[in-house]
Amino acid sequence: MSDILMPKATAVWLVDNTSLSFEQIADFCGLHPLEVRGIADGDVARDIRGVDPVTGGQLTREELDKAQADENYRLKAIVSRHAELMKSAKPAPKYTPVSRRQDRPDAIAWFVRNHPEVTDAQIAKLLGTTKSTIESVRNRTHWNSANIKPVDPVTLGLVGQLVLDEIVKKAADKKTKDDLKKGGGTIQPVEEVEAEPEFVPEARQRPGAEPTAASVFGTKD
């Protein structure tokens, strides 16, 4: 399968204008079949306008007709130089099985309680969730708030320990730098204490010459 431009918009058009199965559309557009089903049900890509891959030069009419006649056939996209140029260097987000999606709120609650320094954007990227879901868990407005309990995402199998440690460390380092910029984390200079004067013992008066009888008893005159 070749990467195509605007995969979701293409999927929207194929759902609305062809009899292709969800699996065929998902394979051609690089999506998951459940995501394509969500498009068909109106739960996903509501505001995305469909794009015709035939007029867009990414698929031939013959190929489309062939796929519609055989649900086991997989569409072959026309190799597009523009698609290769537009291909993201970042790896595609990891797909989370449906059986584990219900664990995401627990993992979000764990981050909110134990690592508030981790941003919503980092949590969303790490767990494959949305900022609105994170906010609903934080504010306890999530539809399943009564059953949400903080659980380590590593325990839930949503992320590896090394990846989690790296995210937490980066967030902590960034918070420390931000605190330093705001002046909240600076080390206060030690106040100078006025030095006490050096103790100098009083000088003893040196006794004079040895006393004489005259100086002690006086003279007869």
Side-chain angles (χ1 to χ4, degrees):
M1 182 196 72
S2 300
D3 291 332
I4 61 173
L5 298 175
M6 297 180 288
K8 283 191 177 180
T10 302
V12 169
W13 188 91
L14 292 173
V15 167
D16 294 338
N17 297 276
T18 71
S19 59
L20 295 173
S21 67
F22 295 151
E23 288 75 14
Q24 286 175 306
I25 296 174
D27 181 79
F28 179 71
C29 297
L31 304 175
H32 192 275
L34 290 177
E35 193 170 6
V36 178
R37 181 182 292 276
I39 293 174
D41 293 339
D43 297 330
V44 180
R46 292 181 181 178
D47 300 325
I48 295 180
R49 183 178 180 181
V51 174
D52 185 350
V54 177
T55 58
Q58 301 186 85
L59 182 67
T60 63
R61 175 59 63 180
E62 293 74 17
E63 187 74 7
L64 181 58
D65 293 339
K66 187 176 181 180
Q68 290 185 100
D70 180 6
E71 64 178 10
N72 294 318
Y73 183 79
R74 293 295 179 259
L75 290 162
K76 297 179 178 61
I78 298 174
V79 178
S80 171
R81 179 174 178 272
H82 297 288
E84 289 298 323
L85 294 176
M86 293 292 291
K87 184 177 179 180
S88 175
K90 297 181 180 179
K94 182 180 179 181
Y95 173 74
T96 303
V98 178
S99 59
R100 290 185 177 176
R101 291 184 185 181
Q102 60 186 3
D103 296 332
R104 285 175 176 170
D106 292 343
I108 293 172
W110 183 87
F111 273 108
V112 171
R113 187 183 73 173
N114 297 288
H115 293 286
E117 72 277 9
V118 180
T119 65
D120 289 0
Q122 289 175 312
I123 297 174
K125 183 178 180 181
L126 186 65
L127 301 180
T129 185
T130 63
K131 291 184 179 180
S132 60
T133 301
I134 298 171
E135 193 65 24
S136 67
V137 172
R138 178 182 289 112
N139 299 332
R140 299 194 64 80
T141 57
H142 191 276
W143 66 271
N144 196 32
S145 291
N147 298 317
I148 294 177
K149 56 183 179 180
V151 181
D152 187 340
V154 175
T155 302
L156 295 172
L158 296 173
V159 66
Q161 186 65 57
L162 294 178
V163 176
L164 177 62
D165 292 344
E166 183 180 0
I167 290 293
V168 171
K169 183 178 182 301
K170 285 183 179 180
D173 291 344
K174 185 177 185 303
K175 184 178 184 302
T176 300
K177 291 180 181 179
D178 292 342
D179 289 343
L180 289 174
K181 290 180 181 179
K182 295 177 182 178
T186 54
I187 300 176
Q188 299 297 329
V190 179
E191 295 183 1
E192 294 184 2
V193 180
E194 184 177 354
E196 296 182 0
E198 183 180 357
F199 174 75
V200 179
E202 295 182 359
R204 296 179 180 178
Q205 292 184 353
R206 185 177 181 183
E210 294 183 0
T212 60
S215 64
V216 174
F217 299 105
T219 60
K220 296 181 178 182
D221 295 339

